[in-house]
Amino acid sequence: MLEIYPKKTQRKRGKQLLVNETPATPAEIGANSRTVPGIVTQRGCSYAGCKGVVIGPIYDILHITHGPIGCGFYSWLSRRNKTRIRKPGETDYLQYSMSTDMQENHIVFGGEKLLKQAIQEAYDEFKPKAISVYATCPVGLIGDDIHTVCRQMKEELGINVFGFSCEGYKGVSQSAGHHIANNGVFKHMIGLDDTPIEAKYKINILGEYNIGGDAWEIERIFALCGIDIIGTLSGGVSYDDICNCHMADLNVVMCHRSINYMAEMMETKFGIPWFKVNFIGLEGTKKSLRKIAQYFGDKELIDRVEEVIAAEMMEVRPVLDDVRKRTTGKKAALFVGGSRAHHYQDLFEDMHMKVFAAGYEFAHRDDYEGRDVLPNIKIDADTRNIEEIHVEADPERYNLRQTQDRKKSLEESGFNFSDYEGMMRQMKKDTLVIDDISHHELEQLIEMYHPDVIGSGIKDKYVIEKMGVPCKQLHSYDYGGPYAGFKGAINFYKEIDRMTSTKVWQLARAPWHVADDAAAPEAATASATA
Ligand code: SF4
């Protein structure tokens, strides 16, 4: 797979590609390092991670991209974060893509005046509660001080205006943008509203972006159980929800990579414990619900969760039994995100399919090997480039949600707070783990292993399909979803069943096969009619 590369590239890529020989004690993998120039990566930029992933889905903030129009256009609704207004009087601005549309003269003479003008214009038109500003590559290169402009406009307009130095080149991937976004949301929004919330079981879901309606399915299940979601960071969530979400009693983390910083900072400042959950796949969903019930420790909730699981499984079971007749033994590979390549393995396992290879686009070693490797991860210059904010316990608002004794007894019963075991521990022995897979490696993998389906992102989707393999696009789900929870699982089973049962992919002939077809027409016909 690596033969085509120069020696130096082979050495580097060799560290990011391994066979998972000892899943219980995962081997060290190279991750979160710069992509070799010239290799076609699937990664996104820091701006994409900040605006596109973490903050962009907050529906009643006006998000202004400071930069050339391409960056704003690129991040315009491309993630399919679904939204509905949660309270009367709120406005959903997500359908707009606002940009300062920098031109050459702004690059030469500076863009601060332009930004100020854009904030004023956006305010005059919409009167939002908050405006956020995102720096793109050229803005960082010319040195516009977006933070001073934001501070001035905050004073002038009397609303919350804040900026993110998330220039695309910061860090090695969108992961840097996630960290910058976490810091900004924590500094400028979390804890602004201390209004008490009357509810018995109050939780936040961190790292759930409501792609294709996933958060709504989780919300539906929680409502059946009697659990209240205070804030979902940040799918389908409002500015007010985020300002008030420190009033919750628990943070559960879906996407560890994009939001673990927030979970840590909220625990330090407000005393809210966190643990990892996964609502993708039946086992993950059941386990996560039970874990939440166990955390609150209330028998009424524990029983209710079991009733909900039993009722939902009545609907799921017949679909799964039927689908398994066709999916059992089929092969899948997953190359997506910083958590999805892990989470979606559960859904394929539900269908008795084999995930023979998986990898993330922008994860760090802890997402592969588990958080116990955190002390051993070398901090390089790219990581040092991202601000680490110092957080202390709030003297008035820090409040332990569980007594130390109760927390200790939960831990003794096998409960893991502030932890993530990583993807490799769950993967089968001798499966392949590939970080930041390139287009060339993907093509090689398809030729060698002939997968029945690949779950991947937008950029590699058509590379895969041109090779006659169906691609389940798990970045924004194309037009599908939700795939979370019980109803989402049913959607996923049916789609994968359709994709892997149809013969249409065998008819796909990539342009580079045409010459071969002409040379050996019998082989081409046989392949198309197989
Ligand atoms: S890499 Fe830079 S120019 Fe490209 S989309 Fe990201 S911020 Fe914009």
Side-chain angles (χ1 to χ4, degrees):
M1 200 184 266
L2 306 181
E3 261 168 24
I4 197 171
Y5 296 141
K7 284 274 171 291
K8 200 171 156 197
T9 308
Q10 282 184 19
R11 270 200 304 281
K12 184 177 182 299
R13 287 299 299 147
K15 291 180 191 161
Q16 292 173 269
L17 218 143
L18 55 82
V19 178
N20 195 17
E21 288 174 343
T22 52
T25 51
E28 179 176 337
I29 186 161
N32 193 35
S33 56
R34 289 185 187 190
T35 302
V36 178
I39 286 190
V40 186
T41 175
Q42 334 294 346
R43 285 173 164 176
C45 72
S46 169
Y47 158 77
C50 180
K51 194 258 182 184
V53 175
V54 178
I55 317 195
I58 306 171
Y59 62 79
D60 55 351
I61 290 181
L62 272 190
H63 305 278
I64 302 181
T65 299
H66 185 32
I69 196 66
C71 311
F73 185 80
Y74 162 67
S75 63
W76 185 14
L77 293 182
S78 54
R79 281 267 286 170
R80 289 186 69 241
N81 310 101
K82 290 203 161 187
T83 305
R84 61 179 163 229
I85 287 167
R86 288 164 67 90
K87 285 186 210 125
E90 288 179 344
T91 314
D92 175 5
Y93 298 119
L94 286 198
Q95 68 272 35
Y96 298 105
S97 174
M98 301 200 183
S99 166
T100 52
D101 188 17
M102 284 180 103
Q103 304 293 318
E104 277 174 34
N105 59 325
H106 305 118
I107 303 293
V108 176
F109 299 109
E112 289 175 15
K113 273 195 203 141
L114 179 74
L115 175 60
K116 204 167 173 185
Q117 204 186 332
I119 296 173
Q120 184 68 54
E121 194 183 326
Y123 177 77
D124 293 344
E125 186 70 30
F126 296 102
K127 304 279 182 311
K129 292 173 185 167
I131 295 178
S132 57
V133 172
Y134 306 90
T136 56
C137 295
V139 169
L141 295 173
I142 64 171
D144 274 0
D145 183 356
I146 63 162
H147 302 288
T148 300
V149 174
C150 288
R151 264 196 307 277
Q152 286 169 353
M153 292 311 284
K154 184 177 176 174
E155 266 173 42
E156 251 175 63
L157 303 176
I159 60 162
N160 202 355
V161 184
F162 45 91
F164 296 87
S165 293
C166 55
E167 294 86 352
Y169 56 75
K170 278 246 176 99
V172 302
S173 69
Q174 57 265 64
S175 168
H178 303 147
H179 196 165
I180 294 164
N182 277 233
N183 290 349
V185 171
F186 190 75
K187 281 198 287 196
H188 298 292
M189 293 167 71
I190 301 278
L192 290 186
D193 174 10
D194 289 333
T195 308
I197 299 167
E198 289 307 320
K200 210 167 174 188
Y201 312 115
K202 295 176 284 190
I203 77 170
N204 296 320
I205 308 180
L206 307 187
E208 168 47 59
Y209 302 105
N210 204 25
I211 311 292
D214 277 351
W216 293 340
E217 165 63 2
I218 300 171
E219 203 174 300
R220 181 190 73 82
I221 299 168
F222 279 15
L224 292 173
C225 298
I227 299 166
D228 279 276
I229 302 173
I230 310 305
T232 304
L233 272 70
S234 47
V237 76
S238 71
Y239 173 75
D240 288 345
D241 292 334
I242 298 216
C243 294
N244 188 228
C245 74
H246 62 295
M247 305 308 282
D249 289 328
L250 174 66
N251 280 334
V252 293
V253 171
M254 273 288 278
C255 173
H256 173 263
R257 182 67 269 136
S258 64
I259 208 112
N260 73 91
Y261 321 95
M262 179 65 76
E264 290 282 301
M265 292 189 286
M266 286 181 82
E267 178 158 30
T268 309
K269 185 164 180 178
F270 301 107
I272 308 172
W274 71 270
F275 54 76
K276 177 81 179 70
V277 290
N278 173 22
F279 289 101
I280 302 289
L282 292 182
E283 287 319 304
T285 303
K286 288 191 244 173
K287 204 170 142 191
S288 300
L289 287 172
R290 287 178 178 137
K291 207 168 165 185
I292 292 167
Q294 192 193 352
Y295 167 82
F296 286 106
D298 190 335
K299 173 132 188 1
E300 189 193 329
L301 178 62
I302 293 169
D303 292 346
R304 184 76 198 120
V305 159
E306 291 307 325
E307 283 164 22
V308 170
I309 291 174
E312 296 287 321
M313 285 304 293
M314 299 274 283
E315 204 184 326
V316 179
R317 183 59 63 198
V319 179
L320 189 55
D321 288 344
D322 174 50
V323 161
R324 276 179 182 165
K325 288 178 207 154
R326 293 170 294 278
T327 55
T328 297
K330 286 183 175 166
K331 286 185 291 185
L334 281 159
F335 299 103
V336 63
S339 283
R340 288 174 191 267
H342 181 185
H343 292 166
Y344 277 82
Q345 295 193 26
D346 283 8
L347 278 171
F348 284 113
E349 271 169 31
D350 289 346
M351 288 182 278
H352 290 172
M353 289 176 67
K354 282 185 256 175
V355 177
F356 69 93
Y360 298 126
E361 281 172 35
F362 51 79
H364 300 200
R365 274 184 62 200
D366 43 320
D367 303 298
Y368 286 104
E369 302 167 50
R371 277 177 74 93
D372 40 339
V373 301
L374 278 175
N376 309 327
I377 296 181
K378 265 198 231 131
I379 309 293
D380 59 14
D382 287 312
T383 310
R384 243 179 252 121
N385 215 1
I386 316 296
E387 183 193 19
E388 271 297 338
I389 54 180
H390 177 71
V391 183
E392 286 178 359
D394 188 294
E396 273 122 45
R397 296 183 291 175
Y398 183 89
N399 141 35
L400 276 182
R401 278 24 185 214
Q402 297 276 5
T403 64
Q404 292 290 12
D405 285 350
R406 163 99 178 117
K407 205 172 166 196
K408 199 163 163 241
S409 88
L410 280 170
E411 279 167 342
E412 279 165 4
S413 68
F415 215 90
N416 289 335
F417 285 103
S418 317
D419 196 22
Y420 174 40
E421 63 169 5
M423 179 177 84
M424 286 163 72
R425 282 193 170 90
Q426 197 193 325
M427 288 182 72
K428 297 267 180 316
K429 187 172 162 12
D430 296 334
T431 46
L432 297 173
V433 186
I434 308 174
D435 181 62
D436 185 23
I437 194 168
S438 71
H439 280 190
H440 163 73
E441 293 159 20
L442 194 56
E443 286 174 12
Q444 295 288 300
L445 187 98
I446 292 172
E447 278 181 11
M448 281 192 273
Y449 292 90
H450 307 289
D452 294 286
V453 64
I454 294 183
S456 191
I458 296 168
K459 298 188 193 98
D460 32 353
K461 177 183 167 74
Y462 298 105
V463 174
I464 297 164
E465 292 187 344
K466 279 176 186 169
M467 294 191 74
V469 175
C471 173
K472 182 70 242 168
Q473 202 266 95
L474 293 176
H475 184 73
S476 58
Y477 300 169
D478 288 331
Y479 311 102
Y483 300 132
F486 298 104
K487 292 201 187 300
I490 292 176
N491 288 339
F492 195 79
Y493 303 150
K494 287 184 177 171
E495 280 181 41
I496 295 297
D497 180 25
R498 271 199 300 268
M499 291 172 89
T500 58
S501 299
T502 175
K503 290 194 185 325
V504 73
W505 297 105
Q506 291 155 15
L507 301 173
R509 300 299 285 162
W512 55 88
H513 287 142
V514 174
D516 299 348
D517 292 353
E522 312 77 30
T525 313
S527 126
T529 52

